Amino acid sequence: MIPFNKPYLTGNETTYIEDAVSRGKISGNGYYTQKCQHFFEDRFNFKKALLTTSCTDALEMCAMLANIEQGEEVIVPSFTFVSTALAFVRQGAVIKFADSCGDNPNIDANKIEELITQRTKAIVVVHYAGVACNMDSIMALANRYNLIVIEDAAQAICSNYKGKPLGSIGHLSTFSFHETKNIISGEGGLLVINDDRFVDRAEILWEKGTNRAEFFRGNINKYGWVDTGSSFLPSDIIAAFLWAQLENIDTIQKKRLEHWHFYHSELTEWARSKEIKLMPKPNEETNNGHMFYILCQSQNQRQEIINHLRDNDILAVFHYISLHSSQYYKDKHDGRILENSDKFTERLLRLPMFFELNPAEVTRALKTFSI
């Protein structure tokens, strides 16, 4: 069976974990945590980077930093993972779901302004498949209405928008190192702070509401409980695993992009003959090879392709069910029809994508699909 995903190990993960243990500090904010954080700040020009136990935790920190209060509104795409909305719901926010673009699952920047009210506090954008949203339009709206922009860049490591790394454009941003992502640590995430007004408080929230990080830098001679927060920082063992991945980030990215371009070139004629749309090549954005998806004609055709690939020992999977139609949120949604979000829910299919994949095996099987 060709799986949908297979975690890639560089070979140094356990070596660095052993080193972390030998250093005598395996709790948070240790040697490897700081190495990883400096890597992100230096390579991507992030103002401040803090490792977290998950991207969900990083999003929860964003909701806290934005001071979301009961009844305030946050604009979120409906076609996304539940964490994108959940982090703000937990703070008491009212979620205003936005539709996707017609030709890709990202939030439609042209549909955001009509959702803004006097109670709107933030816009959360998701760079689906590692391809950027229209950040120029979104940041212009945020500036006009004095809103906070949070980039959910869970899938977007090493992707750019007009020369700027994703995660460096919004006021806050988050990344995921879940085992399904390009760069992994099993579970794990990253909070990026690009706005000076959030930097100091982010460290406090990260350290259970204490100014402990400042104390260990020698900036103060004692620390205490000064704010709300939680235990958001991961063990240094997780950071050690992540460091082995970061050392090989260019090799990993190069291989995944090779797979992506192979899929696109080999499946173009097949897709045209079946009236199936391939994941489009980005224009002013870059592609990081996080995934390759196709857009089927119907939900039935998608299921037939899934069954066909499974018969050929290949696992392909669909993705999100629109959050506005979820069991939890459907009674809280304002009733607007989100046509494009529902389209991607019903028709999008993701093909296997991982470092050691042979994409030729998948394309050969797809080309025998006859319906």
Side-chain angles (χ1 to χ4, degrees):
M1 172 69 74
I2 296 175
F4 170 71
N5 176 69
K6 180 182 177 183
Y8 172 66
L9 302 182
T10 70
N12 278 330
E13 285 82 1
T14 54
T15 300
Y16 293 151
I17 288 172
E18 288 178 4
D19 183 58
V21 172
S22 72
R23 289 174 182 273
K25 178 175 169 49
I26 58 174
S27 59
N29 204 15
Y31 174 77
Y32 283 101
T33 298
Q34 293 176 31
K35 279 178 75 72
C36 291
Q37 290 174 171
H38 290 318
F39 174 91
F40 288 112
E41 291 166 357
D42 294 342
R43 174 156 179 153
F44 300 110
N45 199 31
F46 298 152
K47 185 177 292 293
K48 182 71 174 178
L50 295 173
L51 289 188
T52 59
T53 51
S54 66
C55 187
T56 303
D57 270 357
L59 285 163
E60 290 182 0
M61 288 186 70
C62 290
M64 296 167 77
L65 287 167
N67 275 324
I68 303 296
E69 297 180 354
Q70 190 77 31
E72 291 185 321
E73 296 174 356
V74 178
I75 297 171
V76 175
S78 183
F79 190 76
T80 185
F81 189 58
V82 62
S83 296
T84 310
L86 173 63
F88 301 92
V89 169
R90 290 189 63 185
Q91 290 295 112
V94 174
I95 302 299
K96 302 292 283 188
F97 285 116
D99 205 1
S100 298
C101 298
D103 60 350
N104 73 78
N106 283 344
I107 191 169
D108 187 344
N110 296 320
K111 300 284 182 66
I112 294 175
E113 188 167 19
E114 64 193 45
L115 301 178
I116 297 174
T117 71
Q118 291 184 337
R119 292 185 296 169
T120 305
K121 191 71 171 283
I123 304 169
V124 186
V125 301
V126 178
H127 303 301
Y128 186 80
V131 178
C133 301
N134 184 344
M135 293 306 295
D136 283 348
S137 295
I138 291 164
M139 295 306 295
L141 273 177
N143 291 335
R144 189 180 314 148
Y145 291 98
N146 193 30
L147 303 176
I148 298 169
V149 174
I150 297 154
E151 294 179 74
D152 182 340
Q155 304 173 2
I157 189 76
C158 290
S159 282
N160 297 320
Y161 174 76
K162 296 184 177 180
K164 296 179 182 178
L166 294 186
S168 71
I169 303 169
H171 303 97
L172 300 163
S173 64
T174 65
F175 290 86
S176 172
F177 308 121
H178 185 269
E179 70 168 38
T180 56
K181 302 303 188 289
N182 296 29
I183 304 300
I184 64 172
S185 58
E187 296 279 356
L190 182 75
L191 170 69
V192 174
I193 307 102
N194 297 311
D195 188 314
D196 285 328
R197 61 185 155 150
F198 300 124
V199 170
D200 291 341
R201 189 171 184 232
E203 274 196 337
I204 292 170
L205 299 181
W206 187 58
E207 280 274 24
K208 310 165 194 70
T210 73
N211 49 4
R212 187 169 181 263
E214 233 186 330
F215 171 75
F216 280 113
R217 282 199 300 271
N219 297 344
I220 54 176
N221 45 15
K222 64 179 180 178
Y223 77 86
W225 184 12
V226 298
D227 201 343
T228 187
S230 191
S231 186
F232 289 118
L233 64 169
S235 160
D236 215 48
I237 290 175
I238 293 173
F241 188 111
L242 180 62
W243 180 247
Q245 296 272 310
L246 293 177
E247 281 189 323
N248 290 272
I249 192 169
D250 293 323
T251 300
I252 293 169
Q253 293 299 97
K254 181 174 181 291
K255 179 62 71 173
R256 293 182 73 105
L257 281 168
E258 287 174 0
H259 295 340
W260 194 97
H261 287 292
F262 184 90
Y263 271 146
H264 200 279
S265 62
E266 293 296 313
L267 291 176
T268 295
E269 291 303 320
W270 170 82
R272 186 178 295 118
S273 70
K274 303 295 182 187
E275 297 184 9
I276 289 171
K277 294 180 180 178
L278 300 183
M279 178 179 170
K281 287 185 176 180
N283 295 320
E284 294 179 301
E285 315 86 6
T286 59
N287 167 33
N288 68 347
H290 173 64
M291 76 168 74
F292 191 92
Y293 66 79
I294 63 176
L295 192 64
C296 301
Q297 294 180 54
S298 65
Q299 195 168 17
N300 287 339
Q301 185 191 51
R302 182 177 71 179
Q303 189 58 52
E304 289 165 353
I305 293 175
I306 290 172
N307 295 341
H308 172 77
L309 289 175
R310 188 179 292 123
D311 290 342
N312 285 271
D313 294 325
I314 297 168
L315 182 61
V317 298
F318 52 84
H319 216 173
Y320 311 125
I321 297 173
S322 297
L323 293 183
H324 73 276
S325 63
S326 67
Q327 180 178 345
Y328 177 79
Y329 223 89
K330 62 184 177 182
D331 294 333
K332 303 176 182 67
H333 178 57
D334 57 23
R336 283 173 297 112
I337 296 172
L338 304 181
E339 178 183 6
N340 293 324
S341 180
D342 289 337
K343 174 181 71 176
F344 292 114
T345 291
E346 295 170 358
R347 294 164 49 190
L348 186 144
L349 178 65
R350 297 180 293 161
L351 302 182
M353 176 63 81
F354 50 90
F355 185 92
E356 295 164 306
L357 175 70
N358 179 358
E361 296 179 65
V362 182
T363 57
R364 276 197 299 270
L366 274 173
K367 288 178 179 179
T368 64
F369 177 73
S370 58
I371 298 176

